[in-house]
Amino acid sequence: MYGPLPGNQAGPLKRPAPWRRRPATYRAGQLRLGRKGLAIGIDIGGTKVAAGVVDAEGRILSEARRSTPGTDPRAVEQVIVELVEELSQGHRIWSVGIGAAGWMDLAGGTVLFSPHLAWRNEPLRENLQRLLRRPVLLTNDADAAAWAEWRFGAGQGEDRLVCITLGTGIGGAMVMDGRVERGRFGVAGEFGHQIIMPGGHRCECGNRGCWEQYASGNALGREARLLARSNSPVAQDLLAAVHGHPEAITGAIVTELALAGDRASRELIEEVGEWLGLGLANLAAALDPGLFVIGGGLCSAGDLLVEPARKAFARNLTGRGFRPAAGIELAALGPNAGLIGAADLSRVSSRVRS
């Protein structure tokens, strides 16, 4: 046993935080985050596995990547072993952190479900510790990214942080009083599946009107394709970019055109930003964070996305004008946040003995 895992983390706060009793408890003095040591962070996605050696200040010293080997759990484990062996050459590695999309049990040992891989109640930590002979931490990829932003990025100094990742869908995570907050059953943070438009677009989760159907990269691409198929004169640049094939339009293409000045693409991103701000206002009413950090691929749109979100947030915030309001900032660590956070969480957890 390597001590408390992602739901029971602590770390250096800029302001003192209350240390709350949790099912697995420890004293703040047990943590030695200043101790030097290297950890490997691994971010497992649907198409690639990214890994890096990370030091105690969150710096990546070396990196390696592999293609995700289909959905076979044993093949994925073998790729992880290969990456750790490669990155361990020339480095003394303390621990390994694994971040992957999916639901983990509260003990941090089992993947209950992963949308990208055939992990169903998979005892991944036990398997990898046997293969790697090192402490292994298993965590959700959004939790890992949120932890990295809190420790080293845009969320430094904020006691109550909510991180939103905008990509194909919407992911989310919370760092509250120095801990990754995972909920009673370990599956908190599925913010993209709050129903924001009853009876709206069908979502892959099975419901209709989920937030991610209106404020994600997929939503941006869908709306752009609809506009292009309408033969609207404002969509001519969109159609030209894909040689007249609307089905080829993606959120990334729309973002690129918007940054280049295309008016229709900017309007489409503004609409997504307004939906984003509305959802953030709902989360603020429920969670009352001090800061929202927005990450993911869609954030390459920058202020074209964030400024409409801030305006919609202010317009829809419960008690607006009579309460403090959370800030909304872009993430600072980019696509490496997941592996940085997984590595750092593994370093912290492996130093805390139960």
Side-chain angles (χ1 to χ4, degrees):
M1 174 72 175
Y2 293 98
L5 285 156
N8 306 294
Q9 299 300 334
L13 293 172
K14 303 295 184 182
R15 301 189 293 275
W19 296 94
R20 301 171 294 171
R21 300 290 292 179
R22 298 290 294 268
T25 59
Y26 54 89
R27 296 185 301 275
Q30 288 179 284
L31 291 176
R32 291 180 290 173
L33 287 173
R35 179 177 173 181
K36 300 301 179 184
L38 301 179
I40 290 177
I42 299 177
D43 187 5
I44 303 174
T47 59
K48 69 179 184 300
V49 181
V53 177
V54 182
D55 69 12
E57 284 73 46
R59 294 174 298 214
I60 299 175
L61 305 183
S62 59
E63 297 179 75
R65 293 175 183 266
R66 296 283 193 283
S67 296
T68 304
T71 60
D72 177 42
R74 303 291 82 79
V76 176
E77 288 174 11
Q78 187 56 43
V79 164
I80 292 171
V81 171
E82 291 174 4
L83 286 167
V84 171
E85 290 177 348
E86 176 182 337
L87 291 171
S88 296
Q89 301 299 316
H91 297 290
R92 185 177 179 182
I93 302 301
W94 176 267
S95 58
V96 176
I98 310 292
W103 293 346
M104 319 297 169
D105 68 345
L106 273 177
T110 300
V111 184
L112 302 176
F113 169 80
S114 175
H116 301 312
L117 300 162
W119 285 335
R120 304 292 185 270
N121 293 311
E122 183 73 24
L124 186 61
R125 188 177 69 188
E126 178 183 344
N127 295 347
L128 288 173
Q129 283 180 166
R130 183 180 65 254
L131 294 168
L132 297 174
R133 300 182 181 275
R134 288 184 175 90
V136 173
L137 174 132
L138 177 64
T139 187
N140 174 269
D141 56 352
D143 289 343
W147 179 265
E149 289 292 341
W150 178 72
R151 284 272 281 133
F152 308 112
Q156 292 182 79
E158 177 51 60
D159 291 352
R160 304 187 70 80
L161 171 71
V162 172
C163 187
I164 304 294
T165 55
L166 304 176
T168 301
I170 296 179
M174 300 173 283
V175 180
M176 301 294 184
D177 298 331
R179 292 180 174 86
V180 177
E181 177 56 63
R182 301 179 59 221
R184 172 62 180 83
F185 303 106
V187 296
E190 294 294 328
F191 303 136
H193 298 291
Q194 59 171 310
I195 294 175
I196 204 166
M197 176 63 74
H201 294 295
R202 176 72 71 181
C203 182
E204 292 178 359
C205 76
N207 289 330
R208 286 187 178 275
C210 291
W211 188 27
E212 69 175 41
Q213 293 302 311
Y214 299 87
S216 66
N218 269 7
L220 179 61
R222 182 196 65 229
E223 292 302 304
R225 289 190 293 273
L226 288 172
L227 180 63
R229 291 183 186 121
S230 73
N231 290 318
S232 169
V234 303
Q236 295 310 304
D237 286 346
L238 277 168
L239 282 168
V242 292
H243 308 292
H245 300 290
E247 66 278 3
I249 297 174
T250 64
I253 289 173
V254 179
T255 300
E256 182 179 348
L257 289 171
L259 291 170
D262 178 53
R263 181 174 297 181
S265 297
R266 290 191 170 206
E267 289 177 358
L268 288 164
I269 288 179
E270 182 177 348
E271 290 176 5
V272 169
E274 290 172 353
W275 283 110
L276 173 61
L278 176 58
L280 295 179
N282 288 344
L283 291 177
L287 302 174
D288 190 29
L291 179 67
F292 290 102
V293 171
I294 313 298
L298 191 53
C299 285
S300 60
D303 285 343
L304 295 179
L305 175 76
V306 173
E307 284 305 315
R310 288 181 177 133
K311 292 177 182 178
F313 176 77
R315 189 167 60 247
N316 292 283
L317 182 64
T318 300
R320 54 193 174 276
F322 297 95
R323 55 167 288 178
I328 301 173
E329 299 294 340
L330 290 170
L333 300 179
N336 289 325
L339 73 86
I340 292 171
D344 195 65
L345 279 168
S346 76
R347 183 187 295 107
V348 173
S349 295
S350 63
R351 299 196 190 287
V352 183
R353 302 293 176 178
S354 61

